Amino acid sequence: MTQRELVLTGLGFAFLLVCHAGYGQLTAADFNRALNIQDKYGSLAINLPEEPVWQEGSESFVYRKSVADGHEFELVDAVALTKHPAFDHAKLAAALSTASGESYRAATLPFSRFHFESGRTAIAFIVNGVRWRCDLKAYTCTKAGPLHPGEGESEDDYGYDQTPKAENDPDKTVASPDGRWLAYVENYNVQVRSKDGKEKIDLSEDGSEGNYYALSTIVWSPDSKRLVAYRIRPGYRRLIHYVNAAPADQLQPEYPTMVYPKPGDVLALPEPALFDVAAKREMPIDNSLFPNPFDLSSAAWWKDSRGFTFDYNQRGHQVYRVIEVDAQTGKARVLIDEQSKTFINYEPLVMNQYDTGKVFRYDVADGKEIIWASERDGWEHLYLINGKTGAVENQITKGDWVVRAVNHVDEQKRQIWFEASGMNAGEDPYFVHGYRINFDGTGLTPLTPAAADHHLEFSPDGRYYVDTWSRIDLAPTMALYRTEDNKELMEVEHTDISKLVAAGWHAPEVLTAKGRDGKTDIWGVIYRPAHFDEHKKYPVIEDIYAGPQGSFVPKSFSTRVEPLTELGFVVAQIDGMGTNNRSRAFHDVAWHNLKDAGFPDRILWHKAAATKYPWYDISRVGIFGTSAGGQSAMGALLFHPEFYKVAVSNSGCHDNRMDKIWWNEQWMGWPVGPQYSASSNVDNAWRLKGKLMLVMGMMDHNVDPSSTLQVADRLIKANKTFDLLVVPEADHGTRGPWTRYTNRNLFDYFVRNLLNQEPPNWNAQADAAGSAHEDRQN
């Protein structure tokens, strides 16, 4: 504080604070502009394509793109090189409106994906949890029944609530490939009957309600002579008990429950059993090679029925094996053995920046060879494995870069098409590019020369692919290519952002700085305040999500802006160490240490930004995040209060022992040990300095709501001052009808504590109650 600031009092002092913030007194109009800014910009990019979806059994794909007043679906024929609307949008909107009783327009159809049926004479899609089917000849729509397994987005029970009775129904059967036999489970044992019902075979007798055979695990051998079924000993069935204090359909509260295993809980124990149907006997399988599974994948038979394989993910995620079982003897052997001193990221290797696993397997010539992904050399790469011996024949890809996805394998040409990042020197190491390489590691060929983030989608037969590329400052282009020679066949879309730019939108700025080791580049982006003036100083707010499952700084184009910039804040996003899609050493920082959250790298990055830009005021730094980001946002005030001053933590998993088992044991390990307490916001609540607002939804089905309440309890016992916003009906992130209200409270908190301004008196606003009521009804 300068001598001039010290002598100012009263109105003069308040005036100085306002000027120091770089903005005048904020009004309700400013807040409303921030709340609505996404709506303002979201519709101004024209011909912005979404991910293409190739149609099964054809060489055509469908995608949705933005148009002036909404969206439109396009159908592209890769052979004829034609593009046209996938259907008559106006007729479909009218038909769906008539059938549903709702009102829809051609450009605002209530679904973002669909699939063709009956030779493209009908389409099927989901709206609000209901399956619909619309005839494209008569243009009539009908409800098509309940959701199929796997459809919808509900996370309730995470698949753990598989009870013995659900798997024990003799009316549900699994037919053999030759059609002669039907396998089923009755009285918790595996049985087989002939299709004509004249013959019945009891294959097992050791099943019980406490150790039952599961119908969903039965897999026949291709020759119909044998089958595999898993016998499952149930684990601990932990329940979360909810208080739905304000249900929408009644006055009195409800008390629902949800199955929700947590770290350390006893898990179900699956064990494969092999049955010879003709011999009417079980062939015992020794489980010593897979004694403590977190999970076993489904059995997968070789095409010649010589045996089957399954993946064994050992609890603790430090051992991952491919197990092969001989069909003649029942003998098990380890075909591939991955081990790590930290963790194995066991999710599938798919092109998803925000949730990237590392496991990929492709069987060549019915398992004669196996293409396998591994981080065994410190980077995610592909290996060619001998299917008989399990030995590595050769490493296919190699270097200080990572494979991000495998798109297509041509066994005859012995070539692989894949996506990778970090290969191009001088380029953002997160940018994804397409490549082709031979099985023996020769012939590495780049396919996507543009310096941008690319996403490739191959046709089912691999003859064509669509490449969509963009940067945060480069509008997307979508083009169709022929795989054989990488020839561009047609430009499908090029996004027009002229109206978006004219409306005042500007892209965030990329910034890199060295991390804690003084060598590794840390990448992030800066969103400058609206009406930016480089001669003023602006407080900084970090938008954090540091979950190790992905990387989160945007790389591809989006119309999204940070609403807080409308209120005079700089907003930053950073991928620190511990996040995904870089080297294994970069990722390992998260192991047993989620409280780290890359903060040593983030703080250095902020300091580098302040050195480069005098307007970047790191004396006033706030932070906000949701879920794992909520844990990190509060953790910033507990473990780095010298730098972070204000935090808003929404739906935080504040103690990893309280959160879902699969996510937390992956990074924090098993058995549960002192590392969990060291990273716990609950156990470290006494450290709180700065201003903290906790936000939670009482009906959170992702993070146990008690996680936030327990940290609140510990803060109270430590005599700490904090704010708590509880949204009774809200689920995870307090999204949906409560988004606007939650965001407004977040804006208020940062304006009050970083700009030193009092937000508008919302209760005195004429439309405050009406707007909230309207939002709730919608």
Side-chain angles (χ1 to χ4, degrees):
M1 185 175 289
T2 66
Q3 184 177 6
R4 182 186 177 193
E5 288 173 321
L6 283 170
V7 300
L8 288 172
T9 59
L11 293 176
F13 181 59
F15 175 77
L16 175 66
L17 289 175
V18 170
C19 291
H20 186 60
Y23 263 58
Q25 179 63 44
L26 295 170
T27 67
D30 296 317
F31 281 79
N32 286 324
R33 186 177 64 252
L35 289 167
N36 298 322
I37 194 66
Q38 304 295 3
D39 293 336
K40 173 185 175 182
Y41 289 139
S43 61
L44 295 180
I46 306 301
N47 298 327
L48 179 64
E50 297 178 8
E51 181 177 318
V53 179
W54 287 92
Q55 302 303 293
E56 194 65 36
S58 77
E59 293 179 327
S60 300
F61 64 90
V62 172
Y63 67 96
R64 191 173 80 148
K65 69 175 184 178
S66 62
V67 293
D69 56 349
H71 292 88
E72 181 178 281
F73 292 92
E74 297 287 330
L75 174 64
V76 177
D77 188 318
V79 178
L81 298 182
T82 59
K83 182 182 78 168
H84 55 78
F87 46 79
D88 188 316
H89 289 64
K91 288 184 178 180
L92 189 77
L96 187 58
S97 297
T98 299
S100 67
E102 303 290 336
S103 179
Y104 298 116
R105 295 187 299 107
T108 58
L109 293 170
F111 55 91
S112 59
R113 297 174 76 96
F114 72 89
H115 66 270
F116 283 112
E117 292 186 346
S118 305
R120 297 187 190 170
T121 62
I123 63 171
F125 51 87
I126 297 171
V127 178
N128 296 328
V130 177
R131 296 181 64 247
W132 286 86
R133 186 179 190 275
C134 294
D135 187 303
L136 297 183
K137 290 185 176 179
Y139 276 95
T140 56
C141 295
T142 56
K143 292 183 179 180
L147 298 184
H148 293 152
E151 289 183 319
E153 299 180 352
S154 174
E155 290 184 320
D156 290 7
D157 78 40
Y158 292 94
Y160 288 109
D161 196 16
Q162 300 298 313
T163 60
K165 291 183 179 179
E167 298 283 357
N168 187 56
D169 185 349
D171 292 331
K172 297 178 180 178
T173 61
V174 180
S176 61
D178 63 7
R180 291 184 57 203
W181 300 100
L182 299 174
Y184 58 97
V185 174
E186 185 172 20
N187 197 26
Y188 308 109
N189 281 287
V190 179
Q191 300 185 357
V192 173
R193 63 175 179 259
S194 59
K195 188 176 181 181
D196 60 14
K198 294 180 179 180
E199 187 176 359
K200 177 182 176 183
I201 303 173
D202 297 329
L203 290 179
S204 74
E205 297 179 344
D206 57 347
S208 67
E209 190 170 8
N211 200 17
Y212 63 95
Y213 287 91
L215 176 75
S216 61
T217 67
I218 293 177
V219 184
W220 284 91
S221 61
D223 62 9
S224 300
K225 294 180 179 180
R226 298 174 177 83
L227 64 81
V228 181
Y230 287 5
R231 185 175 56 248
I232 300 175
R233 187 186 70 198
Y236 175 57
R237 192 169 182 267
R238 181 183 294 280
L239 297 176
I240 291 181
H241 295 263
Y242 290 90
V243 178
N244 186 0
D249 58 350
Q250 67 184 51
L251 176 63
Q252 297 300 325
E254 296 175 326
Y255 306 97
T257 60
M258 172 181 169
V259 177
Y260 190 99
K262 295 183 179 183
D265 283 354
V266 175
L267 289 176
L269 178 63
E271 296 180 319
L274 175 62
F275 298 96
D276 186 322
V277 176
K280 304 179 182 179
R281 68 184 180 94
E282 178 181 353
M283 305 172 69
I285 301 172
D286 182 359
N287 70 351
S288 60
L289 297 177
F290 45 95
N292 184 24
F294 179 84
D295 183 53
L296 297 184
S297 70
S298 299
W301 284 90
W302 298 121
K303 295 177 183 178
D304 64 4
S305 298
R306 69 183 183 275
F308 65 90
T309 66
F310 60 89
D311 291 0
Y312 166 62
N313 178 10
Q314 184 164 291
R315 193 162 190 187
H317 308 300
Q318 294 178 308
V319 175
Y320 194 98
R321 291 173 177 156
V322 176
I323 304 292
E324 182 184 45
V325 178
D326 187 284
Q328 299 294 326
T329 64
K331 184 178 180 180
R333 71 172 181 129
V334 176
L335 189 55
I336 300 175
D337 192 4
E338 288 287 339
Q339 299 195 23
S340 171
K341 293 181 179 179
T342 54
F343 59 84
I344 294 170
N345 190 354
Y346 61 85
E347 295 290 336
L349 177 67
V350 294
M351 188 51 249
N352 182 346
Q353 171 186 344
Y354 307 109
D355 191 359
T356 306
K358 304 296 182 183
V359 173
F360 175 82
R361 170 186 165 188
Y362 182 93
D363 298 330
V364 179
D366 197 25
K368 182 179 180 181
E369 295 173 303
I370 298 172
I371 299 170
W372 180 254
S374 171
E375 292 185 289
R376 59 186 64 180
D377 76 345
W379 303 82
E380 177 76 345
H381 281 300
L382 300 178
Y383 295 79
L384 190 63
I385 306 292
N386 186 298
K388 290 186 177 181
T389 66
V392 175
E393 293 185 353
N394 61 268
Q395 184 170 348
I396 301 172
T397 62
K398 185 182 298 184
D400 293 352
W401 46 273
V402 296
V403 173
R404 299 284 292 275
V406 176
N407 304 109
H408 178 63
V409 176
D410 188 322
E411 294 188 35
Q412 283 68 44
K413 293 183 177 180
R414 295 181 68 80
Q415 291 181 326
I416 304 168
W417 283 258
F418 67 97
E419 292 171 84
S421 59
M423 199 183 302
N424 296 343
E427 190 177 277
D428 187 327
Y430 295 94
F431 280 175
V432 175
H433 286 274
Y435 300 90
R436 183 182 66 240
I437 196 168
N438 299 323
F439 280 15
D440 63 5
T442 63
L444 178 64
T445 304
L447 305 177
T448 52
D453 192 45
H454 295 255
H455 180 71
L456 277 60
E457 288 289 342
F458 278 67
S459 61
D461 61 8
R463 294 181 60 194
Y464 304 95
Y465 67 89
V466 178
D467 178 17
T468 306
W469 68 92
S470 69
R471 296 190 306 264
I472 57 175
D473 62 344
L474 177 68
T477 297
M478 175 188 282
L480 174 67
Y481 290 83
R482 185 167 56 208
T483 305
E484 182 180 31
D485 54 6
N486 197 39
K487 179 181 179 181
E488 180 177 335
L489 300 179
M490 67 181 293
E491 182 178 285
V492 180
E493 290 293 349
H494 184 74
T495 305
D496 179 1
I497 61 171
S498 57
K499 291 183 179 179
L500 180 68
V501 174
W505 177 92
H506 54 273
E509 175 184 347
V510 177
L511 180 72
T512 61
K514 297 301 180 185
R516 69 189 76 184
D517 60 3
K519 300 181 296 182
T520 304
D521 284 333
I522 303 298
W523 290 72
V525 294
I526 297 171
Y527 296 83
R528 298 191 183 195
H531 315 297
F532 174 74
D533 183 345
E534 65 178 6
H535 300 294
K536 297 179 179 179
K537 279 186 169 291
Y538 298 92
V540 177
I541 298 176
E542 183 177 340
D543 179 353
I544 188 171
Y545 190 91
Q549 74 269 25
S551 55
F552 305 96
V553 173
K555 301 299 172 183
S556 57
F557 182 84
S558 171
T559 61
R560 177 183 178 271
V561 296
E562 287 281 0
L564 283 162
T565 58
E566 293 293 318
L567 299 177
F569 296 100
V570 175
V571 180
Q573 286 181 271
I574 310 159
D575 280 322
M577 292 187 185
T579 50
N580 206 339
N581 300 321
R582 299 283 289 274
S583 70
R584 186 54 203 259
F586 191 99
H587 204 187
D588 274 347
V589 170
W591 173 241
H592 279 195
N593 192 23
L594 286 177
K595 77 173 187 299
D596 180 277
F599 278 124
D601 313 301
R602 296 169 185 275
I603 292 171
L604 288 171
W605 188 95
H606 283 298
K607 290 180 177 179
T611 298
K612 183 176 182 179
Y613 299 122
W615 44 264
Y616 197 96
D617 187 359
I618 58 173
S619 70
R620 296 175 293 160
V621 179
I623 187 169
F624 71 95
T626 298
S627 196
Q631 177 182 8
S632 298
M634 180 176 176
L637 300 188
L638 302 182
F639 305 112
H640 301 278
E642 77 289 347
F643 190 79
Y644 296 95
K645 307 303 180 185
V646 184
V648 176
S649 167
N650 190 321
S651 306
C653 36
H654 296 288
D655 189 312
N656 300 105
R657 295 165 292 193
M658 287 288 294
D659 199 27
K660 50 202 163 287
I661 188 171
W662 60 269
W663 195 87
N664 293 275
E665 284 194 7
Q666 167 74 91
W667 318 117
M668 293 297 290
W670 178 87
V672 173
Q675 74 272 17
Y676 279 82
S677 177
S679 284
S680 168
N681 288 350
V682 177
D683 289 352
N684 289 282
W686 60 272
R687 300 177 183 272
L688 179 66
K689 295 181 180 179
K691 302 287 187 178
L692 171 67
M693 181 168 76
L694 300 171
V695 182
M696 62 174 289
M698 287 293 291
M699 300 304 295
D700 192 330
H701 289 82
N702 185 314
V703 173
D704 187 341
S706 293
S707 182
T708 296
L709 294 175
Q710 286 190 4
V711 82
D713 175 71
R714 200 64 65 87
L715 287 167
I716 292 169
K717 289 175 178 175
N719 200 31
K720 296 293 183 177
T721 298
F722 64 101
D723 292 271
L724 174 63
L725 173 60
V726 178
V727 186
E729 292 182 81
D731 207 314
H732 191 60
T734 61
R735 301 184 181 98
W738 305 276
T739 299
R740 185 180 181 90
Y741 183 80
T742 302
N743 285 347
R744 198 198 72 197
N745 277 271
L746 179 146
F747 296 169
D748 287 355
Y749 206 71
F750 285 125
V751 166
R752 182 178 293 114
N753 292 295
L754 286 178
L755 291 182
N756 294 298
Q757 290 193 36
E758 191 60 30
N761 181 353
W762 296 110
N763 290 347
Q765 298 292 318
D767 63 342
S771 296
H773 179 73
E774 182 180 350
D775 288 343
R776 175 65 184 89
Q777 296 304 309
N778 293 335

